[in-house]
């Protein structure tokens, strides 16, 4: 039992890293299946380029959009924004734009992994490049007049010997692009992470405490919500069968739910650890928690909007 608890603690502690690792492994595995079992280069000048690019880029686009769908911040930002009184609950345009940029960065992990792994494998690039007229002009020597016509046959090993040797060059180009992409991703992630941490308005130890607080708040909120919902449902069913009037239960109004569902904004003068924390303290003074000009969206605090909420099934 103690070992099982230790595994759970390790999972909670490194949940983000494990999540990214799992996404990467699934992406790599899916790409291998596509390149070996599904992909069949047509080996024609008219189809090679389109066919190869579709397999290289369309799955990446699908993974990018899926990254938006599976991020809870997307639905915090969008839910209810098309209602008539949406302006009251939606964040400022500049805040929305900043959140969209952050969401795009997170959503780009899986598609970039797909493209990098596909380039290292070389299958998709070889097919696409062999159908490109630009690549034909660059790779085919003038002494080989039939090279451009036979280049689309190279991925299927149907070209004549001198032209068929260009397959190694195509694979080398693909793998070089793959390694350059991986290096660029690592450098960009390192730079962005370093800058994000450097401009963090709170210290390292406070961030650790903050994450512990959010974990506990989410756990208690879910338990309390479950108990309250069960009590409300029990009372309604009881009154239905008894034909009696229900007793009054204090349930948050639609406006209250809307306010604690808004995106978190940081204010150095009033350091609240969540939107719920802000609502509880600010609602005592007023009936609204409208963001002030001093409230900002901080990249280092993006985790505040997604404690224990990683997919749409959690919403």
């Amino acid at each position: 039992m103690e070992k099982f608890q230790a595994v759970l603690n390790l999972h909670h502690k490194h949940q983000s890293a494990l999540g990214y690792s799992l996404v990467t492994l699934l992406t790599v595995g899916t790409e291998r299946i596509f390149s070996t079992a599904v992909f069949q280069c047509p080996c024609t000048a008219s189809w090679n380029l389109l066919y190869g690019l579709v397999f290289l880029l369309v799955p990446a686009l699908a993974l990018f959009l899926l990254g938006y769908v599976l991020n809870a911040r997307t639905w915090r930002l969008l839910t209810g924004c098309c209602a008539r009184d949406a302006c009251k609950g939606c964040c400022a345009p500049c805040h929305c734009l900043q959140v969209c940029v952050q969401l795009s960065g997170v959503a780009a992990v899986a598609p970039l992994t797909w493209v990098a792994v596909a380039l290292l494998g070389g299958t998709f690039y070889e097919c696409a490049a062999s159908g490109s007229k630009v690549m034909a002009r660059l790779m085919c020597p003038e002494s080989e007049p039939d090279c451009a016509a036979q280049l689309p046959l190279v991925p299927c090993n149907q070209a004549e010997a001198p032209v068929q040797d260009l397959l190694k060059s195509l694979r080398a180009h693909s793998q070089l692009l793959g390694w350059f992409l991986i290096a660029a991703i690592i450098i960009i992630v390192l730079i962005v992470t370093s800058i994000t941490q450097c401009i963090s308005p709170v210290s390292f130890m406070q961030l650790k405490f903050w994450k512990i607080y959010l974990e506990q708040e989410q756990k208690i909120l879910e338990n309390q919500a479950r108990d309250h919902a069960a009590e409300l449902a029990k009372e309604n069913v009881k009154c239905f069968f008894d034909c009696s009037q229900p007793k009054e239960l204090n349930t948050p109004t639609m406006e209250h739910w809307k306010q604690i569902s808004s995106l978190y904004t940081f204010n150095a003068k009033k350091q609240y650890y969540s939107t719920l924390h802000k609502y509880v303290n600010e609602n005592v003074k007023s009936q609204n928690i409208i963001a002030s000009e001093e409230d900002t969206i901080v990249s280092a605090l993006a985790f505040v909007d997604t404690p224990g909420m990683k997919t749409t099934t959690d919403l």
Side-chain angles (χ1 to χ4, degrees):
M1 187 64 183
E2 293 181 357
K3 293 182 178 180
F4 180 71
Q5 186 62 39
V7 172
L8 287 179
N9 292 336
L10 182 66
H11 174 265
H12 287 301
K13 185 177 181 181
H14 302 286
Q15 190 171 6
S16 297
L18 291 173
Y20 285 124
S21 301
L22 180 60
V23 168
T24 301
L25 290 175
L26 289 175
T27 303
V28 171
T30 305
E31 191 281 332
R32 289 292 85 197
I33 294 174
F34 268 70
S35 61
T36 57
V38 179
F39 185 80
Q40 296 291 334
C41 187
C43 294
T44 60
S46 58
W47 281 102
N48 277 21
L49 179 61
L50 178 61
Y51 191 79
L53 289 178
V54 165
F55 272 81
L56 183 64
L57 300 179
V58 172
L61 176 61
L63 289 170
F64 182 73
L65 297 177
L66 188 62
Y68 271 98
V69 172
L70 297 181
N71 196 315
R73 297 189 85 199
T74 303
W75 306 110
R76 278 185 178 269
L77 185 65
L78 293 179
T79 302
C81 277
C82 293
R84 294 181 179 179
D85 57 345
C87 295
K88 297 179 181 179
C90 291
C91 60
C94 59
H95 287 172
C96 290
L97 178 62
Q98 188 174 350
V99 172
C100 288
V101 172
Q102 294 171 6
L103 288 172
S104 299
V106 175
V109 173
L112 289 176
T113 302
W114 172 277
V115 174
V117 173
L119 288 174
L120 289 178
T123 306
F124 303 152
Y125 179 86
E126 292 165 10
C127 184
S130 65
S132 171
K133 295 181 180 179
V134 175
M135 291 298 296
R137 286 196 297 267
L138 292 175
M139 299 186 66
C140 290
E142 296 181 357
S143 58
E144 296 287 342
D146 296 334
C147 176
Q150 293 192 36
L151 188 61
L153 302 176
V154 167
C156 298
N157 295 318
Q158 297 175 356
E160 296 179 1
V163 181
Q164 186 62 41
D165 293 339
L166 294 176
L167 180 64
K168 295 180 180 178
S169 298
L170 291 174
R171 186 163 300 172
H173 293 167
S174 180
Q175 291 175 343
L176 284 174
L177 289 174
W179 282 116
F180 285 143
L181 179 60
I182 291 174
I185 293 172
I186 294 174
I187 292 173
I188 292 173
V189 169
L190 179 61
I191 293 175
V192 172
T193 303
S194 300
I195 293 176
T196 299
Q197 293 302 115
C198 285
I199 62 176
S200 173
V202 296
S203 63
F204 175 77
M205 291 304 297
Q206 188 175 1
L207 279 176
K208 293 188 68 175
F209 169 79
W210 203 320
K211 293 177 181 179
I212 294 172
Y213 167 82
L214 288 172
E215 181 182 345
Q216 295 301 316
E217 180 190 82
Q218 185 68 22
K219 186 185 302 182
I220 295 171
L221 176 61
E222 290 179 356
N223 292 335
Q224 187 98 11
R226 189 178 293 107
D227 293 341
H228 189 85
E231 184 180 0
L232 181 61
K234 183 178 179 181
E235 180 65 21
N236 289 333
V237 172
K238 177 178 178 297
C239 292
F240 171 75
F241 284 104
D242 294 346
C243 296
S244 59
Q245 292 296 322
K247 66 179 182 180
E248 185 177 354
L249 294 175
N250 292 325
T251 302
T253 64
M254 290 180 61
E255 184 62 30
H256 295 162
W257 286 113
K258 184 183 298 184
Q259 290 189 40
I260 69 167
S261 298
S262 59
L263 291 172
Y264 174 81
T265 53
F266 178 79
N267 190 325
K269 296 180 179 180
K270 301 176 181 179
Q271 294 187 27
Y272 300 122
Y273 291 115
S274 67
T275 308
L276 177 62
H277 186 193
K278 180 179 181 180
Y279 166 79
V280 171
N281 287 270
E282 292 291 323
N283 196 51
V284 175
K285 305 172 185 177
S286 64
Q287 294 298 317
N288 209 334
I289 55 170
I290 299 175
S292 64
E293 295 181 356
E294 297 177 344
D295 289 358
T296 57
I297 297 286
V298 181
S299 300
L301 303 178
F303 63 89
V304 178
D305 292 321
T306 56
M309 297 172 65
K310 301 302 180 185
T311 66
T312 54
T313 58
D314 295 323
L315 298 178

